Amino acid sequence: MSQQKLQLFNTLGRTLEPFNTIESSKVGLYACGPTVYDYAHAGNLRTYLFVDVLRRALELNGYDVNHVMNITDVGHLVSDADTGEDKMEKGARKQNKSAWEIAKYFEDAFLDDLNSLNIAKPSIICRATEHIQEQIEFVRELEQKGFTYQTSDGVYFDSAKLPDYGKLAKLDREGLEAGIRVEMAEKKSPTDFALWKFSGDTPRQMEWESPWGVGFPGWHIECSAMAEKYLGEVFDIHVGGEDHIPVHHTNEIAQCQAKNGHVQANYWLHGFFLQVNKEKISKSGTSLRLDALIKKGYDPLAYRYLVLTSHYRSHLSFTWESLDAAQTALKRLKTKVSALPEGGKVDQTFIERFISLINNDLAMPQAIALMWELLGSALNDGDKKATARYFDRMFGLELDKVEEVEIPREILELVELRLQMKKQKEYKQADEIRQKVTELGYSINDVGDSSTVSKQG
């Protein structure tokens, strides 16, 4: 085992830091989950792939991970500046179903996507609508400590009462301007945010009694209340997408600081966006659902492979060519590993190098490159297989699972003929045969002096 300690880039201090836990062998991990008013898209899912890689890295280092993820099924308004319609109410109207029905439907669809991508299910999945009382109590404590004020449309957090609001994450004030670009209504400051919104005259499907009036919780309060319930006032790691930094996580930090006198999590990690033509993929714009990729013939784990080839703190540009390349690489990888014999043992030198990369802020692109180096190395084949399996504990690519496809006799005969041409150094004819096999929908993979063939996606 590598002696290098796991290091993670802590957004809270903008530094790469050695990872130290509150409890020696346990990790409390909170991940911001989806707002279930629509399907998740590939950009959303990149964040959850990052969380899965982080969890696997922690477990590889011997930690017992308590992974908590929320489901936002109420309270997330269409604007992060506390204006507009609740996304759940809007989604219900669009789908012509109740808000409760669409929440369940899109949560199930999201969990199906996680399963298709071989993302481990969180230890605890908690829904905002099932923790209304915890959120009300959290707001009451903030009120008792003088951090709230009430307007005609809700109860707000008074950010001016917290001198270091926004500075806890070392954010530039320009990053907090979402509220400035809209009407402030009765808010005292553009950085104040809703803790509880009143229903008003607009009929709502999701609303509850509270000490301040009938309404629903603000978006940010749910994560703080539920994380505290399941992980305590202080826990190890809080993760999310980069879009959470300027508003959602800044406000989570603020309300926990106000209530408890300290930041809730010791480490804050953020995954970067997937982009198409250098633009963020969003539900309202360019949208790529995992189901659409599968219907086009892509293995969902090909998308996982593509994501692993880019560091989580780098923007990843999506192209169909890059997904094609990832699918081809994954097939080659599975073919090579499955063809290796059983009975070997892991190679400690490769394992040391692998863990060193993982512990360097999850350097997955370099770890993927090390896998290919392993397969091309002089190690005996049995040891290669055992070591590759160890690597796959991080990759989650199910390298041992190769779909059995019956190859037509015509294709097998062409593959055998190509091998004969290669042995006779008739390389032009061999290339022509490969091209014909490709046109017929199959791929040839050369392994030493032999070849395997697989059906294209």
Side-chain angles (χ1 to χ4, degrees):
M1 178 67 70
S2 171
Q3 296 303 306
Q4 179 186 336
K5 187 176 180 65
L6 176 63
Q7 295 186 89
L8 298 172
F9 187 86
N10 190 354
T11 310
L12 191 63
R14 293 290 196 276
T15 55
L16 186 65
E17 300 177 11
F19 179 59
N20 296 301
T21 57
I22 296 171
E23 295 186 59
S24 60
S25 62
K26 296 182 178 180
V27 173
L29 169 66
Y30 186 88
C32 283
T35 303
V36 285
Y37 71 102
D38 204 342
Y39 293 105
H41 54 69
N44 303 134
L45 295 171
R46 186 191 183 195
T47 297
Y48 300 103
L49 283 165
F50 148 58
V51 177
D52 188 61
V53 166
L54 171 62
R55 175 174 169 173
R56 288 170 183 265
L58 292 167
E59 291 173 343
L60 201 69
N61 277 272
Y63 293 110
D64 179 16
V65 182
N66 185 13
H67 175 192
V68 178
M69 183 188 74
N70 70 300
I71 296 290
T72 299
D73 54 358
V74 69
H76 191 169
L77 303 184
V78 292
S79 166
D80 287 344
D82 297 315
T83 62
E85 193 174 4
D86 185 331
K87 290 184 177 182
M88 297 304 302
E89 299 281 339
K90 183 178 179 180
R93 190 172 63 253
K94 177 182 176 182
Q95 300 291 333
N96 197 28
K97 296 180 180 178
S98 76
W100 304 94
E101 287 173 330
I102 69 159
K104 180 67 167 65
Y105 177 84
F106 287 119
E107 178 186 332
D108 288 346
F110 170 75
L111 295 177
D112 285 344
D113 285 345
L114 296 193
N115 185 60
S116 295
L117 289 167
N118 197 26
I119 294 174
K121 190 175 180 180
S123 316
I124 296 171
I125 295 176
C126 45
R127 299 165 188 83
T129 54
E130 295 175 358
H131 297 79
I132 298 299
Q133 192 57 42
E134 287 86 349
Q135 294 170 77
I136 289 174
E137 289 303 317
F138 202 110
V139 177
R140 283 174 63 92
E141 289 198 48
L142 289 174
E143 182 182 51
Q144 291 166 5
K145 293 184 177 182
F147 283 96
T148 70
Y149 62 90
Q150 189 167 320
T151 71
S152 61
D153 76 337
V155 179
Y156 285 81
F157 183 89
D158 191 345
S159 59
K161 295 287 183 70
L162 198 66
D164 54 357
Y165 173 85
K167 294 181 180 179
L168 290 168
K170 296 189 179 347
L171 298 172
D172 188 324
R173 276 284 179 176
E174 292 180 2
L176 303 174
E177 301 217 338
I180 294 175
R181 293 191 294 270
V182 299
E183 293 183 14
M184 285 177 50
E186 298 172 56
K187 288 167 63 171
K188 294 180 180 180
S189 166
T191 53
D192 294 351
F193 55 92
L195 298 167
W196 186 267
K197 293 282 283 185
F198 300 140
S199 296
D201 297 328
T202 304
R204 285 185 54 82
Q205 297 180 52
M206 293 178 160
E207 60 183 13
W208 294 266
E209 294 283 351
S210 81
W212 313 282
V214 175
F216 58 100
W219 173 32
H220 317 298
I221 199 69
E222 66 172 275
C223 286
S224 295
M226 293 191 291
E228 184 170 311
K229 175 173 181 175
Y230 293 107
L231 296 173
E233 285 190 7
V234 183
F235 54 90
D236 296 297
I237 306 176
H238 197 310
V239 294
E242 63 173 313
D243 53 334
H244 289 148
I245 296 173
V247 180
H248 184 47
H249 285 178
T250 287
N251 292 344
E252 279 192 67
I253 288 171
Q255 59 201 12
C256 290
Q257 175 85 359
K259 175 180 175 292
N260 299 323
H262 52 73
V263 181
Q264 191 176 34
N266 290 333
Y267 296 82
W268 294 72
L269 278 69
H270 296 88
F272 277 36
F273 291 142
L274 182 74
Q275 297 178 322
V276 172
N277 298 325
K278 296 186 177 179
E279 294 182 358
K280 172 192 171 186
I281 294 175
S282 66
K283 289 175 181 169
S284 57
T286 303
S287 183
L288 292 170
R289 285 181 51 202
L290 186 65
D291 184 61
L293 302 185
I294 294 171
K295 287 179 179 177
K296 284 180 177 286
Y298 292 100
D299 183 339
L301 294 184
Y303 178 64
R304 184 180 179 105
Y305 183 96
L306 176 62
V307 169
L308 293 177
T309 62
S310 178
H311 192 266
Y312 77 91
R313 284 192 291 110
S314 298
H315 289 130
L316 173 60
S317 295
F318 178 91
T319 65
W320 292 108
E321 291 77 13
S322 64
L323 187 58
D324 285 337
Q327 176 123 312
T328 299
L330 178 62
K331 284 185 176 180
R332 286 183 57 214
L333 196 58
K334 286 194 169 191
T335 300
K336 285 179 178 290
V337 172
S338 64
L340 296 171
E342 302 286 349
K345 59 183 180 180
V346 296
D347 181 81
Q348 289 303 315
T349 299
F350 269 100
I351 294 302
E352 289 281 341
R353 292 174 61 192
F354 183 74
I355 294 177
S356 179
L357 291 172
I358 298 307
N359 284 358
N360 182 21
D361 197 31
L362 314 178
M364 299 307 293
Q366 293 85 348
I368 287 284
L370 186 64
M371 169 70 91
W372 288 106
E373 181 185 333
L374 164 70
L375 296 177
S377 72
L379 279 182
N380 76 66
D381 287 347
D383 290 354
K384 285 182 185 179
K385 186 160 196 168
T387 307
R389 280 176 171 162
Y390 183 94
F391 285 8
D392 202 38
R393 290 169 59 183
M394 274 300 305
F395 298 144
L397 295 172
E398 299 184 334
L399 296 181
D400 275 339
K401 291 185 180 179
V402 179
E403 183 180 356
E404 294 294 330
V405 178
E406 186 174 347
I407 308 297
R409 178 178 294 276
E410 174 193 2
I411 301 298
L412 295 175
E413 289 175 349
L414 286 172
V415 172
E416 183 60 33
L417 179 60
R418 177 176 173 272
L419 279 176
Q420 293 176 18
M421 293 298 100
K422 287 181 66 179
K423 290 177 182 178
Q424 296 169 15
K425 298 185 179 180
E426 299 288 348
Y427 297 118
K428 182 180 179 181
Q429 291 90 329
D431 288 342
E432 290 173 352
I433 294 171
R434 176 192 280 275
Q435 180 61 33
K436 183 176 181 180
V437 169
T438 300
E439 291 172 356
L440 291 170
Y442 295 84
S443 298
I444 295 177
N445 180 52
D446 294 323
V447 183
D449 294 329
S450 62
S451 297
T452 61
V453 62
S454 60
K455 188 172 179 60
Q456 296 173 11

